[in-house]
PDB file of all heavy atoms in Angstrom:
ATOM      1  N   GLU A 443       0.824  -1.212   0.000  1.00 87.00           N
ATOM      2  CA  GLU A 443       0.000   0.000   0.000  1.00 87.00           C
ATOM      3  C   GLU A 443       0.863   1.269   0.000  1.00 87.00           C
ATOM      4  O   GLU A 443       0.514   2.257  -0.629  1.00 87.00           O
ATOM      5  CB  GLU A 443      -0.951   0.010   1.196  1.00 87.00           C
ATOM      6  CG  GLU A 443      -2.079  -0.985   1.059  1.00 87.00           C
ATOM      7  CD  GLU A 443      -2.980  -1.038   2.281  1.00 87.00           C
ATOM      8  OE1 GLU A 443      -2.525  -0.742   3.409  1.00 87.00           O
ATOM      9  OE2 GLU A 443      -4.150  -1.397   2.100  1.00 87.00           O
ATOM     10  N   GLU A 444       1.994   1.217   0.698  1.00 87.00           N
ATOM     11  CA  GLU A 444       2.851   2.402   0.781  1.00 87.00           C
ATOM     12  C   GLU A 444       3.765   2.544  -0.427  1.00 87.00           C
ATOM     13  O   GLU A 444       4.300   3.623  -0.670  1.00 87.00           O
ATOM     14  CB  GLU A 444       3.662   2.370   2.076  1.00 87.00           C
ATOM     15  CG  GLU A 444       2.791   2.574   3.301  1.00 87.00           C
ATOM     16  CD  GLU A 444       3.556   2.585   4.604  1.00 87.00           C
ATOM     17  OE1 GLU A 444       4.810   2.647   4.576  1.00 87.00           O
ATOM     18  OE2 GLU A 444       2.906   2.536   5.665  1.00 87.00           O
ATOM     19  N   ALA A 445       3.972   1.483  -1.168  1.00 84.00           N
ATOM     20  CA  ALA A 445       4.801   1.522  -2.380  1.00 84.00           C
ATOM     21  C   ALA A 445       4.043   0.817  -3.504  1.00 84.00           C
ATOM     22  O   ALA A 445       4.412  -0.271  -3.946  1.00 84.00           O
ATOM     23  CB  ALA A 445       6.145   0.847  -2.120  1.00 84.00           C
ATOM     24  N   PRO A 446       2.936   1.430  -3.964  1.00 82.00           N
ATOM     25  CA  PRO A 446       2.124   0.776  -4.992  1.00 82.00           C
ATOM     26  C   PRO A 446       2.953   0.472  -6.239  1.00 82.00           C
ATOM     27  O   PRO A 446       3.859   1.210  -6.590  1.00 82.00           O
ATOM     28  CB  PRO A 446       1.022   1.790  -5.294  1.00 82.00           C
ATOM     29  CG  PRO A 446       1.308   3.008  -4.519  1.00 82.00           C
ATOM     30  CD  PRO A 446       2.457   2.751  -3.623  1.00 82.00           C
ATOM     31  N   GLY A 447       2.605  -0.625  -6.865  1.00 85.00           N
ATOM     32  CA  GLY A 447       3.324  -1.048  -8.065  1.00 85.00           C
ATOM     33  C   GLY A 447       4.521  -1.928  -7.770  1.00 85.00           C
ATOM     34  O   GLY A 447       5.213  -2.368  -8.682  1.00 85.00           O
ATOM     35  N   THR A 448       4.785  -2.181  -6.491  1.00 84.00           N
ATOM     36  CA  THR A 448       5.900  -3.047  -6.128  1.00 84.00           C
ATOM     37  C   THR A 448       5.525  -4.502  -6.408  1.00 84.00           C
ATOM     38  O   THR A 448       4.486  -4.960  -5.964  1.00 84.00           O
ATOM     39  CB  THR A 448       6.237  -2.905  -4.624  1.00 84.00           C
ATOM     40  OG1 THR A 448       6.580  -1.560  -4.361  1.00 84.00           O
ATOM     41  CG2 THR A 448       7.375  -3.817  -4.213  1.00 84.00           C
ATOM     42  N   PRO A 449       6.369  -5.217  -7.140  1.00 86.00           N
ATOM     43  CA  PRO A 449       6.108  -6.651  -7.324  1.00 86.00           C
ATOM     44  C   PRO A 449       6.377  -7.415  -6.027  1.00 86.00           C
ATOM     45  O   PRO A 449       7.239  -7.031  -5.239  1.00 86.00           O
ATOM     46  CB  PRO A 449       7.107  -7.071  -8.398  1.00 86.00           C
ATOM     47  CG  PRO A 449       7.606  -5.804  -9.003  1.00 86.00           C
ATOM     48  CD  PRO A 449       7.480  -4.755  -7.949  1.00 86.00           C
ATOM     49  N   LEU A 450       5.656  -8.473  -5.818  1.00 82.00           N
ATOM     50  CA  LEU A 450       5.807  -9.298  -4.626  1.00 82.00           C
ATOM     51  C   LEU A 450       6.044 -10.729  -5.094  1.00 82.00           C
ATOM     52  O   LEU A 450       5.184 -11.310  -5.758  1.00 82.00           O
ATOM     53  CB  LEU A 450       4.527  -9.200  -3.792  1.00 82.00           C
ATOM     54  CG  LEU A 450       4.548  -9.604  -2.346  1.00 82.00           C
ATOM     55  CD1 LEU A 450       5.572  -8.807  -1.565  1.00 82.00           C
ATOM     56  CD2 LEU A 450       3.176  -9.415  -1.731  1.00 82.00           C
ATOM     57  N   THR A 451       7.218 -11.260  -4.821  1.00 81.00           N
ATOM     58  CA  THR A 451       7.535 -12.615  -5.272  1.00 81.00           C
ATOM     59  C   THR A 451       7.934 -13.491  -4.090  1.00 81.00           C
ATOM     60  O   THR A 451       8.281 -12.999  -3.027  1.00 81.00           O
ATOM     61  CB  THR A 451       8.672 -12.616  -6.316  1.00 81.00           C
ATOM     62  OG1 THR A 451       9.870 -12.128  -5.710  1.00 81.00           O
ATOM     63  CG2 THR A 451       8.319 -11.750  -7.507  1.00 81.00           C
ATOM     64  N   ARG A 452       7.856 -14.786  -4.302  1.00 77.00           N
ATOM     65  CA  ARG A 452       8.189 -15.769  -3.264  1.00 77.00           C
ATOM     66  C   ARG A 452       7.488 -15.456  -1.954  1.00 77.00           C
ATOM     67  O   ARG A 452       8.099 -15.366  -0.899  1.00 77.00           O
ATOM     68  CB  ARG A 452       9.696 -15.857  -3.072  1.00 77.00           C
ATOM     69  CG  ARG A 452      10.383 -16.495  -4.250  1.00 77.00           C
ATOM     70  CD  ARG A 452      11.806 -16.815  -3.914  1.00 77.00           C
ATOM     71  NE  ARG A 452      12.429 -17.510  -5.021  1.00 77.00           N
ATOM     72  CZ  ARG A 452      13.455 -18.316  -4.897  1.00 77.00           C
ATOM     73  NH1 ARG A 452      13.989 -18.514  -3.710  1.00 77.00           N
ATOM     74  NH2 ARG A 452      13.961 -18.913  -5.939  1.00 77.00           N
ATOM     75  N   THR A 453       6.197 -15.298  -2.020  1.00 74.00           N
ATOM     76  CA  THR A 453       5.426 -14.899  -0.851  1.00 74.00           C
ATOM     77  C   THR A 453       4.373 -15.920  -0.462  1.00 74.00           C
ATOM     78  O   THR A 453       3.380 -15.574   0.156  1.00 74.00           O
ATOM     79  CB  THR A 453       4.736 -13.560  -1.114  1.00 74.00           C
ATOM     80  OG1 THR A 453       3.963 -13.677  -2.300  1.00 74.00           O
ATOM     81  CG2 THR A 453       5.727 -12.448  -1.235  1.00 74.00           C
ATOM     82  N   ASP A 454       4.576 -17.156  -0.868  1.00 73.00           N
ATOM     83  CA  ASP A 454       3.626 -18.208  -0.544  1.00 73.00           C
ATOM     84  C   ASP A 454       2.253 -17.797  -1.066  1.00 73.00           C
ATOM     85  O   ASP A 454       2.152 -17.137  -2.094  1.00 73.00           O
ATOM     86  CB  ASP A 454       3.616 -18.488   0.966  1.00 73.00           C
ATOM     87  CG  ASP A 454       3.321 -19.952   1.264  1.00 73.00           C
ATOM     88  OD1 ASP A 454       2.196 -20.393   0.970  1.00 73.00           O
ATOM     89  OD2 ASP A 454       4.205 -20.655   1.756  1.00 73.00           O
ATOM     90  N   LEU A 455       1.204 -18.160  -0.413  1.00 74.00           N
ATOM     91  CA  LEU A 455      -0.140 -17.878  -0.921  1.00 74.00           C
ATOM     92  C   LEU A 455      -0.551 -16.417  -0.763  1.00 74.00           C
ATOM     93  O   LEU A 455      -1.592 -16.016  -1.269  1.00 74.00           O
ATOM     94  CB  LEU A 455      -1.155 -18.810  -0.263  1.00 74.00           C
ATOM     95  CG  LEU A 455      -0.961 -20.292  -0.613  1.00 74.00           C
ATOM     96  CD1 LEU A 455      -1.940 -21.161   0.158  1.00 74.00           C
ATOM     97  CD2 LEU A 455      -1.107 -20.527  -2.101  1.00 74.00           C
ATOM     98  N   ALA A 456       0.284 -15.597  -0.108  1.00 72.00           N
ATOM     99  CA  ALA A 456       0.011 -14.157  -0.042  1.00 72.00           C
ATOM    100  C   ALA A 456       0.036 -13.553  -1.441  1.00 72.00           C
ATOM    101  O   ALA A 456      -0.517 -12.475  -1.660  1.00 72.00           O
ATOM    102  CB  ALA A 456       1.035 -13.452   0.844  1.00 72.00           C
ATOM    103  N   ALA A 457       0.638 -14.234  -2.378  1.00 73.00           N
ATOM    104  CA  ALA A 457       0.695 -13.758  -3.756  1.00 73.00           C
ATOM    105  C   ALA A 457      -0.693 -13.554  -4.345  1.00 73.00           C
ATOM    106  O   ALA A 457      -0.881 -12.731  -5.234  1.00 73.00           O
ATOM    107  CB  ALA A 457       1.488 -14.743  -4.621  1.00 73.00           C
ATOM    108  N   PHE A 458      -1.691 -14.267  -3.849  1.00 74.00           N
ATOM    109  CA  PHE A 458      -3.034 -14.143  -4.407  1.00 74.00           C
ATOM    110  C   PHE A 458      -3.749 -12.879  -3.954  1.00 74.00           C
ATOM    111  O   PHE A 458      -4.589 -12.355  -4.667  1.00 74.00           O
ATOM    112  CB  PHE A 458      -3.874 -15.380  -4.079  1.00 74.00           C
ATOM    113  CG  PHE A 458      -3.494 -16.548  -4.930  1.00 74.00           C
ATOM    114  CD1 PHE A 458      -2.537 -17.440  -4.508  1.00 74.00           C
ATOM    115  CD2 PHE A 458      -4.071 -16.728  -6.167  1.00 74.00           C
ATOM    116  CE1 PHE A 458      -2.158 -18.503  -5.303  1.00 74.00           C
ATOM    117  CE2 PHE A 458      -3.702 -17.787  -6.983  1.00 74.00           C
ATOM    118  CZ  PHE A 458      -2.747 -18.681  -6.545  1.00 74.00           C
ATOM    119  N   GLY A 459      -3.445 -12.371  -2.786  1.00 76.00           N
ATOM    120  CA  GLY A 459      -4.124 -11.180  -2.307  1.00 76.00           C
ATOM    121  C   GLY A 459      -3.396  -9.887  -2.627  1.00 76.00           C
ATOM    122  O   GLY A 459      -4.002  -8.822  -2.667  1.00 76.00           O
ATOM    123  N   ALA A 460      -2.103  -9.951  -2.878  1.00 78.00           N
ATOM    124  CA  ALA A 460      -1.288  -8.746  -3.051  1.00 78.00           C
ATOM    125  C   ALA A 460      -1.747  -7.829  -4.185  1.00 78.00           C
ATOM    126  O   ALA A 460      -1.734  -6.606  -4.014  1.00 78.00           O
ATOM    127  CB  ALA A 460       0.176  -9.130  -3.223  1.00 78.00           C
ATOM    128  N   PRO A 461      -2.168  -8.342  -5.344  1.00 80.00           N
ATOM    129  CA  PRO A 461      -2.610  -7.419  -6.405  1.00 80.00           C
ATOM    130  C   PRO A 461      -3.797  -6.539  -5.983  1.00 80.00           C
ATOM    131  O   PRO A 461      -3.913  -5.409  -6.431  1.00 80.00           O
ATOM    132  CB  PRO A 461      -3.001  -8.356  -7.555  1.00 80.00           C
ATOM    133  CG  PRO A 461      -2.155  -9.564  -7.345  1.00 80.00           C
ATOM    134  CD  PRO A 461      -2.096  -9.713  -5.845  1.00 80.00           C
ATOM    135  N   ALA A 462      -4.629  -7.036  -5.108  1.00 79.00           N
ATOM    136  CA  ALA A 462      -5.773  -6.250  -4.648  1.00 79.00           C
ATOM    137  C   ALA A 462      -5.335  -5.021  -3.857  1.00 79.00           C
ATOM    138  O   ALA A 462      -6.082  -4.052  -3.755  1.00 79.00           O
ATOM    139  CB  ALA A 462      -6.692  -7.112  -3.787  1.00 79.00           C
ATOM    140  N   PHE A 463      -4.116  -5.055  -3.319  1.00 82.00           N
ATOM    141  CA  PHE A 463      -3.617  -3.937  -2.524  1.00 82.00           C
ATOM    142  C   PHE A 463      -2.588  -3.104  -3.268  1.00 82.00           C
ATOM    143  O   PHE A 463      -1.965  -2.225  -2.681  1.00 82.00           O
ATOM    144  CB  PHE A 463      -3.058  -4.449  -1.196  1.00 82.00           C
ATOM    145  CG  PHE A 463      -4.119  -5.100  -0.350  1.00 82.00           C
ATOM    146  CD1 PHE A 463      -4.204  -6.477  -0.284  1.00 82.00           C
ATOM    147  CD2 PHE A 463      -5.047  -4.336   0.326  1.00 82.00           C
ATOM    148  CE1 PHE A 463      -5.200  -7.090   0.468  1.00 82.00           C
ATOM    149  CE2 PHE A 463      -6.041  -4.937   1.076  1.00 82.00           C
ATOM    150  CZ  PHE A 463      -6.118  -6.314   1.143  1.00 82.00           C
ATOM    151  N   GLY A 464      -2.379  -3.393  -4.570  1.00 83.00           N
ATOM    152  CA  GLY A 464      -1.516  -2.544  -5.374  1.00 83.00           C
ATOM    153  C   GLY A 464      -0.244  -3.164  -5.900  1.00 83.00           C
ATOM    154  O   GLY A 464       0.553  -2.471  -6.532  1.00 83.00           O
ATOM    155  N   ALA A 465       0.001  -4.433  -5.651  1.00 84.00           N
ATOM    156  CA  ALA A 465       1.215  -5.056  -6.192  1.00 84.00           C
ATOM    157  C   ALA A 465       1.136  -5.088  -7.719  1.00 84.00           C
ATOM    158  O   ALA A 465       0.089  -5.373  -8.285  1.00 84.00           O
ATOM    159  CB  ALA A 465       1.377  -6.478  -5.659  1.00 84.00           C
ATOM    160  N   ALA A 466       2.251  -4.776  -8.375  1.00 85.00           N
ATOM    161  CA  ALA A 466       2.289  -4.782  -9.843  1.00 85.00           C
ATOM    162  C   ALA A 466       2.061  -6.194 -10.366  1.00 85.00           C
ATOM    163  O   ALA A 466       1.344  -6.403 -11.337  1.00 85.00           O
ATOM    164  CB  ALA A 466       3.628  -4.254 -10.341  1.00 85.00           C
ATOM    165  N   PHE A 467       2.686  -7.159  -9.731  1.00 83.00           N
ATOM    166  CA  PHE A 467       2.493  -8.563 -10.048  1.00 83.00           C
ATOM    167  C   PHE A 467       3.008  -9.382  -8.887  1.00 83.00           C
ATOM    168  O   PHE A 467       3.699  -8.870  -8.009  1.00 83.00           O
ATOM    169  CB  PHE A 467       3.187  -8.978 -11.360  1.00 83.00           C
ATOM    170  CG  PHE A 467       4.693  -8.888 -11.321  1.00 83.00           C
ATOM    171  CD1 PHE A 467       5.472  -9.945 -10.839  1.00 83.00           C
ATOM    172  CD2 PHE A 467       5.340  -7.755 -11.785  1.00 83.00           C
ATOM    173  CE1 PHE A 467       6.851  -9.854 -10.809  1.00 83.00           C
ATOM    174  CE2 PHE A 467       6.720  -7.666 -11.772  1.00 83.00           C
ATOM    175  CZ  PHE A 467       7.475  -8.723 -11.283  1.00 83.00           C
ATOM    176  N   THR A 468       2.651 -10.645  -8.866  1.00 80.00           N
ATOM    177  CA  THR A 468       3.132 -11.550  -7.830  1.00 80.00           C
ATOM    178  C   THR A 468       3.569 -12.851  -8.473  1.00 80.00           C
ATOM    179  O   THR A 468       3.155 -13.176  -9.586  1.00 80.00           O
ATOM    180  CB  THR A 468       2.044 -11.864  -6.783  1.00 80.00           C
ATOM    181  OG1 THR A 468       0.956 -12.508  -7.441  1.00 80.00           O
ATOM    182  CG2 THR A 468       1.564 -10.603  -6.096  1.00 80.00           C
ATOM    183  N   ALA A 469       4.403 -13.572  -7.767  1.00 76.00           N
ATOM    184  CA  ALA A 469       4.847 -14.881  -8.237  1.00 76.00           C
ATOM    185  C   ALA A 469       5.348 -15.683  -7.050  1.00 76.00           C
ATOM    186  O   ALA A 469       5.871 -15.123  -6.088  1.00 76.00           O
ATOM    187  CB  ALA A 469       5.969 -14.729  -9.264  1.00 76.00           C
ATOM    188  N   PHE A 470       5.160 -16.965  -7.128  1.00 70.00           N
ATOM    189  CA  PHE A 470       5.746 -17.852  -6.127  1.00 70.00           C
ATOM    190  C   PHE A 470       5.844 -19.233  -6.735  1.00 70.00           C
ATOM    191  O   PHE A 470       5.163 -19.543  -7.699  1.00 70.00           O
ATOM    192  CB  PHE A 470       4.941 -17.883  -4.818  1.00 70.00           C
ATOM    193  CG  PHE A 470       3.660 -18.664  -4.900  1.00 70.00           C
ATOM    194  CD1 PHE A 470       3.610 -19.972  -4.453  1.00 70.00           C
ATOM    195  CD2 PHE A 470       2.520 -18.089  -5.422  1.00 70.00           C
ATOM    196  CE1 PHE A 470       2.434 -20.684  -4.525  1.00 70.00           C
ATOM    197  CE2 PHE A 470       1.345 -18.801  -5.489  1.00 70.00           C
ATOM    198  CZ  PHE A 470       1.299 -20.102  -5.046  1.00 70.00           C
ATOM    199  N   GLY A 471       6.684 -20.045  -6.206  1.00 66.00           N
ATOM    200  CA  GLY A 471       6.879 -21.383  -6.740  1.00 66.00           C
ATOM    201  C   GLY A 471       5.952 -22.389  -6.100  1.00 66.00           C
ATOM    202  O   GLY A 471       5.504 -22.209  -4.971  1.00 66.00           O
ATOM    203  N   ALA A 472       5.677 -23.435  -6.839  1.00 62.00           N
ATOM    204  CA  ALA A 472       4.832 -24.495  -6.303  1.00 62.00           C
ATOM    205  C   ALA A 472       5.594 -25.332  -5.284  1.00 62.00           C
ATOM    206  O   ALA A 472       5.000 -25.933  -4.407  1.00 62.00           O
ATOM    207  CB  ALA A 472       4.312 -25.380  -7.429  1.00 62.00           C
ATOM    208  N   GLY A 473       6.915 -25.372  -5.365  1.00 63.00           N
ATOM    209  CA  GLY A 473       7.723 -26.122  -4.407  1.00 63.00           C
ATOM    210  C   GLY A 473       8.066 -25.269  -3.196  1.00 63.00           C
ATOM    211  O   GLY A 473       8.182 -24.049  -3.288  1.00 63.00           O
ATOM    212  N   SER A 474       8.249 -25.911  -2.054  1.00 63.00           N
ATOM    213  CA  SER A 474       8.495 -25.158  -0.818  1.00 63.00           C
ATOM    214  C   SER A 474       9.768 -24.324  -0.905  1.00 63.00           C
ATOM    215  O   SER A 474       9.861 -23.268  -0.285  1.00 63.00           O
ATOM    216  CB  SER A 474       8.569 -26.107   0.378  1.00 63.00           C
ATOM    217  OG  SER A 474       9.612 -27.041   0.217  1.00 63.00           O
ATOM    218  N   ARG A 475      10.765 -24.752  -1.670  1.00 65.00           N
ATOM    219  CA  ARG A 475      12.005 -23.977  -1.792  1.00 65.00           C
ATOM    220  C   ARG A 475      11.810 -22.670  -2.543  1.00 65.00           C
ATOM    221  O   ARG A 475      12.655 -21.788  -2.467  1.00 65.00           O
ATOM    222  CB  ARG A 475      13.070 -24.806  -2.507  1.00 65.00           C
ATOM    223  CG  ARG A 475      13.542 -25.964  -1.683  1.00 65.00           C
ATOM    224  CD  ARG A 475      14.597 -26.731  -2.403  1.00 65.00           C
ATOM    225  NE  ARG A 475      15.039 -27.833  -1.569  1.00 65.00           N
ATOM    226  CZ  ARG A 475      15.838 -28.771  -1.976  1.00 65.00           C
ATOM    227  NH1 ARG A 475      16.298 -28.760  -3.206  1.00 65.00           N
ATOM    228  NH2 ARG A 475      16.192 -29.734  -1.164  1.00 65.00           N
ATOM    229  N   CYS A 476      10.726 -22.555  -3.279  1.00 66.00           N
ATOM    230  CA  CYS A 476      10.482 -21.350  -4.085  1.00 66.00           C
ATOM    231  C   CYS A 476       9.356 -20.491  -3.542  1.00 66.00           C
ATOM    232  O   CYS A 476       8.931 -19.550  -4.191  1.00 66.00           O
ATOM    233  CB  CYS A 476      10.168 -21.750  -5.530  1.00 66.00           C
ATOM    234  SG  CYS A 476      11.537 -22.552  -6.349  1.00 66.00           S
ATOM    235  N   ARG A 477       8.850 -20.804  -2.353  1.00 67.00           N
ATOM    236  CA  ARG A 477       7.765 -20.004  -1.799  1.00 67.00           C
ATOM    237  C   ARG A 477       8.244 -18.905  -0.862  1.00 67.00           C
ATOM    238  O   ARG A 477       7.470 -18.051  -0.455  1.00 67.00           O
ATOM    239  CB  ARG A 477       6.744 -20.911  -1.108  1.00 67.00           C
ATOM    240  CG  ARG A 477       5.923 -21.694  -2.118  1.00 67.00           C
ATOM    241  CD  ARG A 477       4.660 -22.251  -1.536  1.00 67.00           C
ATOM    242  NE  ARG A 477       4.848 -23.199  -0.476  1.00 67.00           N
ATOM    243  CZ  ARG A 477       4.946 -24.528  -0.644  1.00 67.00           C
ATOM    244  NH1 ARG A 477       4.888 -25.045  -1.840  1.00 67.00           N
ATOM    245  NH2 ARG A 477       5.091 -25.317   0.389  1.00 67.00           N
ATOM    246  N   HIS A 478       9.506 -18.915  -0.496  1.00 68.00           N
ATOM    247  CA  HIS A 478      10.113 -17.834   0.283  1.00 68.00           C
ATOM    248  C   HIS A 478      11.617 -17.964   0.162  1.00 68.00           C
ATOM    249  O   HIS A 478      12.120 -18.950  -0.351  1.00 68.00           O
ATOM    250  CB  HIS A 478       9.650 -17.850   1.747  1.00 68.00           C
ATOM    251  CG  HIS A 478       9.951 -19.122   2.463  1.00 68.00           C
ATOM    252  ND1 HIS A 478      11.153 -19.372   3.071  1.00 68.00           N
ATOM    253  CD2 HIS A 478       9.215 -20.230   2.668  1.00 68.00           C
ATOM    254  CE1 HIS A 478      11.136 -20.580   3.620  1.00 68.00           C
ATOM    255  NE2 HIS A 478       9.972 -21.118   3.385  1.00 68.00           N
ATOM    256  N   ILE A 479      12.338 -16.952   0.625  1.00 75.00           N
ATOM    257  CA  ILE A 479      13.794 -16.986   0.527  1.00 75.00           C
ATOM    258  C   ILE A 479      14.403 -17.177   1.912  1.00 75.00           C
ATOM    259  O   ILE A 479      13.775 -16.908   2.928  1.00 75.00           O
ATOM    260  CB  ILE A 479      14.358 -15.712  -0.130  1.00 75.00           C
ATOM    261  CG1 ILE A 479      14.021 -14.467   0.693  1.00 75.00           C
ATOM    262  CG2 ILE A 479      13.870 -15.579  -1.562  1.00 75.00           C
ATOM    263  CD1 ILE A 479      14.731 -13.208   0.229  1.00 75.00           C
ATOM    264  N   ILE A 480      15.618 -17.639   1.907  1.00 75.00           N
ATOM    265  CA  ILE A 480      16.407 -17.780   3.133  1.00 75.00           C
ATOM    266  C   ILE A 480      17.506 -16.723   3.068  1.00 75.00           C
ATOM    267  O   ILE A 480      18.074 -16.475   2.006  1.00 75.00           O
ATOM    268  CB  ILE A 480      17.038 -19.191   3.220  1.00 75.00           C
ATOM    269  CG1 ILE A 480      15.975 -20.278   3.116  1.00 75.00           C
ATOM    270  CG2 ILE A 480      17.864 -19.353   4.488  1.00 75.00           C
ATOM    271  CD1 ILE A 480      14.931 -20.253   4.193  1.00 75.00           C
ATOM    272  N   ALA A 481      17.805 -16.089   4.174  1.00 74.00           N
ATOM    273  CA  ALA A 481      18.830 -15.046   4.207  1.00 74.00           C
ATOM    274  C   ALA A 481      20.158 -15.599   3.690  1.00 74.00           C
ATOM    275  O   ALA A 481      20.498 -16.767   3.942  1.00 74.00           O
ATOM    276  CB  ALA A 481      18.997 -14.529   5.627  1.00 74.00           C
ATOM    277  N   PRO A 482      20.919 -14.773   2.957  1.00 78.00           N
ATOM    278  CA  PRO A 482      22.221 -15.227   2.451  1.00 78.00           C
ATOM    279  C   PRO A 482      23.097 -15.754   3.582  1.00 78.00           C
ATOM    280  O   PRO A 482      23.156 -15.174   4.664  1.00 78.00           O
ATOM    281  CB  PRO A 482      22.823 -13.963   1.838  1.00 78.00           C
ATOM    282  CG  PRO A 482      21.655 -13.099   1.516  1.00 78.00           C
ATOM    283  CD  PRO A 482      20.629 -13.410   2.567  1.00 78.00           C
ATOM    284  N   GLY A 483      23.727 -16.875   3.338  1.00 82.00           N
ATOM    285  CA  GLY A 483      24.605 -17.488   4.331  1.00 82.00           C
ATOM    286  C   GLY A 483      23.916 -18.453   5.276  1.00 82.00           C
ATOM    287  O   GLY A 483      24.573 -19.201   5.985  1.00 82.00           O
ATOM    288  N   GLU A 484      22.586 -18.431   5.317  1.00 79.00           N
ATOM    289  CA  GLU A 484      21.853 -19.357   6.184  1.00 79.00           C
ATOM    290  C   GLU A 484      21.521 -20.631   5.425  1.00 79.00           C
ATOM    291  O   GLU A 484      21.302 -20.604   4.226  1.00 79.00           O
ATOM    292  CB  GLU A 484      20.538 -18.734   6.671  1.00 79.00           C
ATOM    293  CG  GLU A 484      20.698 -17.686   7.723  1.00 79.00           C
ATOM    294  CD  GLU A 484      19.354 -17.231   8.289  1.00 79.00           C
ATOM    295  OE1 GLU A 484      18.356 -17.978   8.177  1.00 79.00           O
ATOM    296  OE2 GLU A 484      19.310 -16.123   8.839  1.00 79.00           O
ATOM    297  N   LYS A 485      21.469 -21.727   6.144  1.00 77.00           N
ATOM    298  CA  LYS A 485      21.031 -22.993   5.577  1.00 77.00           C
ATOM    299  C   LYS A 485      19.550 -23.167   5.917  1.00 77.00           C
ATOM    300  O   LYS A 485      19.125 -22.867   7.032  1.00 77.00           O
ATOM    301  CB  LYS A 485      21.840 -24.140   6.168  1.00 77.00           C
ATOM    302  CG  LYS A 485      21.519 -25.464   5.540  1.00 77.00           C
ATOM    303  CD  LYS A 485      22.348 -26.588   6.133  1.00 77.00           C
ATOM    304  CE  LYS A 485      21.909 -27.874   5.465  1.00 77.00           C
ATOM    305  NZ  LYS A 485      22.294 -29.034   6.192  1.00 77.00           N
ATOM    306  N   ALA A 486      18.773 -23.626   4.952  1.00 69.00           N
ATOM    307  CA  ALA A 486      17.344 -23.819   5.190  1.00 69.00           C
ATOM    308  C   ALA A 486      17.116 -24.801   6.332  1.00 69.00           C
ATOM    309  O   ALA A 486      17.709 -25.875   6.363  1.00 69.00           O
ATOM    310  CB  ALA A 486      16.655 -24.311   3.921  1.00 69.00           C
ATOM    311  N   GLN A 487      16.267 -24.413   7.274  1.00 68.00           N
ATOM    312  CA  GLN A 487      15.927 -25.279   8.399  1.00 68.00           C
ATOM    313  C   GLN A 487      14.662 -26.051   8.081  1.00 68.00           C
ATOM    314  O   GLN A 487      13.835 -25.610   7.288  1.00 68.00           O
ATOM    315  CB  GLN A 487      15.705 -24.443   9.659  1.00 68.00           C
ATOM    316  CG  GLN A 487      16.904 -23.688  10.120  1.00 68.00           C
ATOM    317  CD  GLN A 487      16.588 -22.761  11.280  1.00 68.00           C
ATOM    318  OE1 GLN A 487      15.459 -22.671  11.747  1.00 68.00           O
ATOM    319  NE2 GLN A 487      17.600 -22.064  11.755  1.00 68.00           N
TER     320      GLN A 487
END
């Protein structure tokens, strides 16, 4: 809402609601590794 037009990716199922609030586009992967990111240097838990 504060930065309309911002794309939102790797956001799990939040990708479906984001366009209603102004996201330019959304995307996420069907696999769990592509639904969010892990901070650089961290190993996925």
